[in-house]
């Protein structure tokens, strides 16, 4: 039986020498039977692990047990194997019984995984910082460009020829679009770089506040936004959740042809065992089946700016917020009929 075990099994004498060991010792470590018998076992332990191992042995000699102790054992090839030990002291027999599992490969993989995770985290953080600094530093010169363009427009509008007015108009439009892009990019990078708050957020209160901020957009399109109360509450970052629903509602109002009456947007929630689902339903232009995933990617838009204004960042921001809360976002939609954006957030 002992001969079949791939793990190290043995009895180690209190005199410092192995008394019994199964064939796994030879296979795993390369040592010959005679060498194992005649070498003090502490010499097989990596010099850096010896002190800790001697302390463990002291406990075993006193009749104690050990579980899940890891130390490095010398292989005849000069390398070391990481062995996970468990053992039981037996003062009556003058030895302790031990079983050891080779976890070298597991440890190597764990180490590699940790290194990769660390590298990924660092490159993510660098990217995050880059996006933040780039957008933050771009905002300043842009403010200046916009200010002087507007000055040109006010002072010289109508005093140059028509083409000049047109050119200045394009330049002002471009600067405004760039400002919208930078603001959205900054909001996006802040989601990752800022500490998340964990508030108990009353969804009714949150939506009322968001709608107040959207009054102009809603009014301009004669839209009707209905809240199906009670909406309940959810744990999360109030500011981020506000951004999430604000993006969904402003999209619901915006992506509407205006042909068959005004936009109607309904917001309701449904509680399940693990969390809450927020549904934003609109009667807008809808999204074809094949595009329902790509709209959540950054800069992905299904329409030109001449049709519907925007930066293409809103939904990727929504997805990022939902995922940072441990939730998810998806859409159900039919072209020409309308869309329902679902956000599920865990209750914790
Ligand atoms: P933006 O609104 O700035 O274009 P988003 O990331 O918010 O960017 O949306 C990406 C694209 O998804 C939009 O350009 C639009 O094509 C589509 N979309 C988003 N919301 C809706 C909606 N409620 N109805 C129809 N299409 C939508």
């Amino acid at each position: 039986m002992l001969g079949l075990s791939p793990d190290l099994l043995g009895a180690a004498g209190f005199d410092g020498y192995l008394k019994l060991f199964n064939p796994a010792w030879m296979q795993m470590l390369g040592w010959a039977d005679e060498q194992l018998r005649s070498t003090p076992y502490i010499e097989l332990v990596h010099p850096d692990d010896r002190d800790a191992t001697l302390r463990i042995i002291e406990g075993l000699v006193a009749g104690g047990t050990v579980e899940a102790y890891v130390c490095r054992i010398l292989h005849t090839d000069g390398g070391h194997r990481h062995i996970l030990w468990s053992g039981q002291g037996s003062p009556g027999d003058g030895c302790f019984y031990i079983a050891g599992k080779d976890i070298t490969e597991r440890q190597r993989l764990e180490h590699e995984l940790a290194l990769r995770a660390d590298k990924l985290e660092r490159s993510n953080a660098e990217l995050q910082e880059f996006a933040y600094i780039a957008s933050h530093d771009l905002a300043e010169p842009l403010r200046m460009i916009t200010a002087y363009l507007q000055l040109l427009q006010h002072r010289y509008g109508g005093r140059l020829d028509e083409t000049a007015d047109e050119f200045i108009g394009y330049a002002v439009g471009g600067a405004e679009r760039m400002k919208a892009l930078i603001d959205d990019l900054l909001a996006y990078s802040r989601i990752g770089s800022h500490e998340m708050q964990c508030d108990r957020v009353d969804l009714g209160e949150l939506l009322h506040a968001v709608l107040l901020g959207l009054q102009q957009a809603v009014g301009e399109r004669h839209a009707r936004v209905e809240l199906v109360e009670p909406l309940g509450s959810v744990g999360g970052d109030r500011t981020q959740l506000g951004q999430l629903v604000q993006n969904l509602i402003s999209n619901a109002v915006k992506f509407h042809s205006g042909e068959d009456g005004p936009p109607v947007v309904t917001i309701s929630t449904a509680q399940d065992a693990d969390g809450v689902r927020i549904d934003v339903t609109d009667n807008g232009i809808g999204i074809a089946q094949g595009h329902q995933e790509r709209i959540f990617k950054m800069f992905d838009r299904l329409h030109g700016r001449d049709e519907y204004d925007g930066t293409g960042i809103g939904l990727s921001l929504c997805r990022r917020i939902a995922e940072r809360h441990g939730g998810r976002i998806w859409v159900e939609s039919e072209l020409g009929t309308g869309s329902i954006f679902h956000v599920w957030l865990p209750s914790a």
Side-chain angles (χ1 to χ4, degrees), residues 79-96:
H80 286 84
R81 314 296 297 172
H82 293 249
I83 310 290
L84 175 77
W85 296 105
S86 52
Q88 163 80 62
S90 180
D93 299 338
C95 69
F96 52 88

PDB file of all heavy atoms in Angstrom, residues 79-96:
ATOM      1  N   GLY A  79      18.167  21.165  -7.040  1.00  0.00           N
ATOM      2  CA  GLY A  79      17.003  22.039  -6.831  1.00  0.00           C
ATOM      3  C   GLY A  79      16.239  21.610  -5.579  1.00  0.00           C
ATOM      4  O   GLY A  79      16.651  20.690  -4.870  1.00  0.00           O
ATOM      5  N   HIS A  80      15.169  22.304  -5.308  1.00  0.00           N
ATOM      6  CA  HIS A  80      14.360  21.960  -4.143  1.00  0.00           C
ATOM      7  C   HIS A  80      12.915  21.718  -4.544  1.00  0.00           C
ATOM      8  O   HIS A  80      12.421  22.327  -5.483  1.00  0.00           O
ATOM      9  CB  HIS A  80      14.411  23.094  -3.107  1.00  0.00           C
ATOM     10  CG  HIS A  80      15.712  23.161  -2.379  1.00  0.00           C
ATOM     11  ND1 HIS A  80      16.819  23.816  -2.889  1.00  0.00           N
ATOM     12  CD2 HIS A  80      16.091  22.627  -1.190  1.00  0.00           C
ATOM     13  CE1 HIS A  80      17.831  23.687  -2.039  1.00  0.00           C
ATOM     14  NE2 HIS A  80      17.414  22.979  -1.002  1.00  0.00           N
ATOM     15  N   ARG A  81      12.265  20.816  -3.826  1.00  0.00           N
ATOM     16  CA  ARG A  81      10.831  20.598  -4.029  1.00  0.00           C
ATOM     17  C   ARG A  81      10.093  21.208  -2.840  1.00  0.00           C
ATOM     18  O   ARG A  81      10.568  21.121  -1.703  1.00  0.00           O
ATOM     19  CB  ARG A  81      10.479  19.091  -4.108  1.00  0.00           C
ATOM     20  CG  ARG A  81      11.373  18.242  -4.979  1.00  0.00           C
ATOM     21  CD  ARG A  81      11.330  18.623  -6.424  1.00  0.00           C
ATOM     22  NE  ARG A  81      10.017  18.433  -7.028  1.00  0.00           N
ATOM     23  CZ  ARG A  81       9.700  18.850  -8.260  1.00  0.00           C
ATOM     24  NH1 ARG A  81      10.604  19.508  -8.979  1.00  0.00           N
ATOM     25  NH2 ARG A  81       8.514  18.638  -8.763  1.00  0.00           N
ATOM     26  N   HIS A  82       8.956  21.830  -3.139  1.00  0.00           N
ATOM     27  CA  HIS A  82       8.133  22.386  -2.050  1.00  0.00           C
ATOM     28  C   HIS A  82       7.209  21.278  -1.556  1.00  0.00           C
ATOM     29  O   HIS A  82       6.403  20.768  -2.336  1.00  0.00           O
ATOM     30  CB  HIS A  82       7.290  23.562  -2.561  1.00  0.00           C
ATOM     31  CG  HIS A  82       8.129  24.740  -2.950  1.00  0.00           C
ATOM     32  ND1 HIS A  82       8.127  25.917  -2.256  1.00  0.00           N
ATOM     33  CD2 HIS A  82       9.020  24.900  -3.957  1.00  0.00           C
ATOM     34  CE1 HIS A  82       8.976  26.761  -2.819  1.00  0.00           C
ATOM     35  NE2 HIS A  82       9.528  26.162  -3.860  1.00  0.00           N
ATOM     36  N   ILE A  83       7.348  20.918  -0.297  1.00  0.00           N
ATOM     37  CA  ILE A  83       6.548  19.806   0.233  1.00  0.00           C
ATOM     38  C   ILE A  83       5.602  20.325   1.321  1.00  0.00           C
ATOM     39  O   ILE A  83       5.995  21.078   2.209  1.00  0.00           O
ATOM     40  CB  ILE A  83       7.443  18.693   0.845  1.00  0.00           C
ATOM     41  CG1 ILE A  83       8.557  18.291  -0.133  1.00  0.00           C
ATOM     42  CG2 ILE A  83       6.615  17.484   1.261  1.00  0.00           C
ATOM     43  CD1 ILE A  83       8.129  17.533  -1.357  1.00  0.00           C
ATOM     44  N   LEU A  84       4.354  19.883   1.205  1.00  0.00           N
ATOM     45  CA  LEU A  84       3.326  20.237   2.194  1.00  0.00           C
ATOM     46  C   LEU A  84       3.210  19.059   3.173  1.00  0.00           C
ATOM     47  O   LEU A  84       2.823  17.957   2.769  1.00  0.00           O
ATOM     48  CB  LEU A  84       1.996  20.455   1.459  1.00  0.00           C
ATOM     49  CG  LEU A  84       0.774  20.723   2.300  1.00  0.00           C
ATOM     50  CD1 LEU A  84       0.775  22.160   2.818  1.00  0.00           C
ATOM     51  CD2 LEU A  84      -0.502  20.482   1.486  1.00  0.00           C
ATOM     52  N   TRP A  85       3.583  19.316   4.419  1.00  0.00           N
ATOM     53  CA  TRP A  85       3.669  18.221   5.401  1.00  0.00           C
ATOM     54  C   TRP A  85       2.500  18.214   6.373  1.00  0.00           C
ATOM     55  O   TRP A  85       1.997  19.255   6.762  1.00  0.00           O
ATOM     56  CB  TRP A  85       4.925  18.384   6.255  1.00  0.00           C
ATOM     57  CG  TRP A  85       6.233  18.278   5.529  1.00  0.00           C
ATOM     58  CD1 TRP A  85       7.065  19.296   5.194  1.00  0.00           C
ATOM     59  CD2 TRP A  85       6.861  17.074   5.080  1.00  0.00           C
ATOM     60  NE1 TRP A  85       8.179  18.814   4.548  1.00  0.00           N
ATOM     61  CE2 TRP A  85       8.078  17.443   4.471  1.00  0.00           C
ATOM     62  CE3 TRP A  85       6.505  15.710   5.121  1.00  0.00           C
ATOM     63  CZ2 TRP A  85       8.953  16.516   3.900  1.00  0.00           C
ATOM     64  CZ3 TRP A  85       7.381  14.792   4.558  1.00  0.00           C
ATOM     65  CH2 TRP A  85       8.591  15.190   3.953  1.00  0.00           C
ATOM     66  N   SER A  86       2.138  16.986   6.775  1.00  0.00           N
ATOM     67  CA  SER A  86       1.344  16.858   7.993  1.00  0.00           C
ATOM     68  C   SER A  86       2.020  15.751   8.806  1.00  0.00           C
ATOM     69  O   SER A  86       2.699  14.884   8.230  1.00  0.00           O
ATOM     70  CB  SER A  86      -0.115  16.541   7.687  1.00  0.00           C
ATOM     71  OG  SER A  86      -0.194  15.439   6.841  1.00  0.00           O
ATOM     72  N   GLY A  87       1.905  15.813  10.101  1.00  0.00           N
ATOM     73  CA  GLY A  87       2.630  14.830  10.908  1.00  0.00           C
ATOM     74  C   GLY A  87       2.065  14.691  12.303  1.00  0.00           C
ATOM     75  O   GLY A  87       1.304  15.533  12.781  1.00  0.00           O
ATOM     76  N   GLN A  88       2.456  13.605  12.917  1.00  0.00           N
ATOM     77  CA  GLN A  88       1.968  13.303  14.275  1.00  0.00           C
ATOM     78  C   GLN A  88       3.149  12.736  15.073  1.00  0.00           C
ATOM     79  O   GLN A  88       3.779  11.760  14.632  1.00  0.00           O
ATOM     80  CB  GLN A  88       0.834  12.265  14.154  1.00  0.00           C
ATOM     81  CG  GLN A  88       0.484  11.527  15.434  1.00  0.00           C
ATOM     82  CD  GLN A  88      -0.407  12.395  16.332  1.00  0.00           C
ATOM     83  OE1 GLN A  88      -1.509  12.755  15.948  1.00  0.00           O
ATOM     84  NE2 GLN A  88       0.093  12.740  17.507  1.00  0.00           N
ATOM     85  N   GLY A  89       3.458  13.347  16.219  1.00  0.00           N
ATOM     86  CA  GLY A  89       4.553  12.852  17.044  1.00  0.00           C
ATOM     87  C   GLY A  89       4.131  11.618  17.828  1.00  0.00           C
ATOM     88  O   GLY A  89       2.969  11.483  18.205  1.00  0.00           O
ATOM     89  N   SER A  90       5.059  10.703  18.043  1.00  0.00           N
ATOM     90  CA  SER A  90       4.752   9.504  18.809  1.00  0.00           C
ATOM     91  C   SER A  90       5.913   9.210  19.770  1.00  0.00           C
ATOM     92  O   SER A  90       6.776   8.373  19.478  1.00  0.00           O
ATOM     93  CB  SER A  90       4.514   8.335  17.843  1.00  0.00           C
ATOM     94  OG  SER A  90       4.212   7.171  18.558  1.00  0.00           O
ATOM     95  N   PRO A  91       5.940   9.920  20.908  1.00  0.00           N
ATOM     96  CA  PRO A  91       7.070   9.766  21.833  1.00  0.00           C
ATOM     97  C   PRO A  91       7.293   8.300  22.244  1.00  0.00           C
ATOM     98  O   PRO A  91       8.424   7.880  22.423  1.00  0.00           O
ATOM     99  CB  PRO A  91       6.656  10.611  23.040  1.00  0.00           C
ATOM    100  CG  PRO A  91       5.680  11.609  22.496  1.00  0.00           C
ATOM    101  CD  PRO A  91       4.951  10.912  21.400  1.00  0.00           C
ATOM    102  N   GLY A  92       6.208   7.524  22.320  1.00  0.00           N
ATOM    103  CA  GLY A  92       6.335   6.112  22.697  1.00  0.00           C
ATOM    104  C   GLY A  92       7.216   5.348  21.714  1.00  0.00           C
ATOM    105  O   GLY A  92       7.998   4.476  22.087  1.00  0.00           O
ATOM    106  N   ASP A  93       7.099   5.713  20.391  1.00  0.00           N
ATOM    107  CA  ASP A  93       7.888   5.015  19.366  1.00  0.00           C
ATOM    108  C   ASP A  93       9.224   5.712  19.106  1.00  0.00           C
ATOM    109  O   ASP A  93      10.027   5.246  18.292  1.00  0.00           O
ATOM    110  CB  ASP A  93       7.124   4.979  18.028  1.00  0.00           C
ATOM    111  CG  ASP A  93       5.802   4.233  18.143  1.00  0.00           C
ATOM    112  OD1 ASP A  93       5.665   3.414  19.081  1.00  0.00           O
ATOM    113  OD2 ASP A  93       4.905   4.482  17.308  1.00  0.00           O
ATOM    114  N   GLY A  94       9.433   6.854  19.745  1.00  0.00           N
ATOM    115  CA  GLY A  94      10.688   7.615  19.543  1.00  0.00           C
ATOM    116  C   GLY A  94      10.780   8.216  18.156  1.00  0.00           C
ATOM    117  O   GLY A  94      11.873   8.444  17.625  1.00  0.00           O
ATOM    118  N   CYS A  95       9.644   8.473  17.544  1.00  0.00           N
ATOM    119  CA  CYS A  95       9.680   9.051  16.192  1.00  0.00           C
ATOM    120  C   CYS A  95       8.404   9.851  15.946  1.00  0.00           C
ATOM    121  O   CYS A  95       7.486   9.854  16.778  1.00  0.00           O
ATOM    122  CB  CYS A  95       9.805   7.957  15.136  1.00  0.00           C
ATOM    123  SG  CYS A  95       8.337   6.940  15.002  1.00  0.00           S
ATOM    124  N   PHE A  96       8.374  10.537  14.821  1.00  0.00           N
ATOM    125  CA  PHE A  96       7.097  11.134  14.388  1.00  0.00           C
ATOM    126  C   PHE A  96       6.791  10.630  12.987  1.00  0.00           C
ATOM    127  O   PHE A  96       7.681  10.352  12.200  1.00  0.00           O
ATOM    128  CB  PHE A  96       7.112  12.666  14.489  1.00  0.00           C
ATOM    129  CG  PHE A  96       8.274  13.355  13.824  1.00  0.00           C
ATOM    130  CD1 PHE A  96       8.217  13.713  12.489  1.00  0.00           C
ATOM    131  CD2 PHE A  96       9.424  13.661  14.560  1.00  0.00           C
ATOM    132  CE1 PHE A  96       9.283  14.364  11.894  1.00  0.00           C
ATOM    133  CE2 PHE A  96      10.493  14.306  13.963  1.00  0.00           C
ATOM    134  CZ  PHE A  96      10.429  14.661  12.619  1.00  0.00           C
TER     135      PHE A  96
END
